[in-house]
């Protein structure tokens, strides 16, 4: 996405470019900061957010079309099976 203006605009991510943020896959600091959560699910939290009538929250789950690191099939199955209203 670093050079693709159409994709940045579609994802409303132009502010990231203006701030000179650049994507780096699997950088160590975030990995080590979240390692204690490895394997923990977020389904209960996502369902709570989606079912909250007091908020109008929209969520985006994104995997790149050519992203070999992320389990896009698993993400699709998770979203299909979410128990929310």
């Amino acid at each position: 996405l670093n050079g693709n203006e159409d994709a940045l605009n579609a994802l409303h991510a132009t502010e990231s470019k203006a701030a000179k943020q650049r994507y780096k896959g699997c950088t160590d600091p975030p990995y080590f900061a979240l390692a204690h959560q490895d394997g923990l699910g977020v389904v209960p939290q996502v369902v709570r957010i989606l079912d909250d009538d007091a908020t109008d929250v929209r969520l985006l789950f994104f995997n790149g079309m050519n992203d070999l690191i992320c389990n896009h099939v698993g993400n699709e199955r998770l979203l299909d099976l979410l128990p929310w209203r």
Side-chain angles (χ1 to χ4, degrees):
L1 292 179
N2 290 337
N4 188 327
E5 292 296 322
D6 291 337
L8 290 172
N9 288 327
L11 293 171
H12 306 284
T14 53
E15 292 175 8
S16 296
K17 182 177 181 186
K20 300 194 184 303
Q21 294 176 342
R22 295 293 180 255
Y23 172 78
K24 293 181 181 178
C26 299
T27 57
D28 288 341
Y31 171 80
F32 291 127
L34 299 171
H36 68 283
Q37 297 181 16
D38 195 22
L40 299 178
V42 296
V43 171
Q45 291 85 353
V46 170
V47 171
R48 188 178 71 238
I49 291 168
L50 292 173
D51 279 344
D52 187 353
D53 293 329
T55 61
D56 183 24
V57 175
R58 294 171 31 180
L59 298 177
L60 170 68
F61 294 86
F62 177 80
N63 286 93
M65 290 175 52
N66 299 316
D67 194 340
L68 299 177
I69 295 172
C70 295
N71 177 7
H72 68 279
V73 174
N75 288 344
E76 287 181 35
R77 291 180 69 196
L78 166 81
L79 295 172
D80 285 341
L81 298 174
L82 275 178
W84 58 287
R85 307 182 254 142

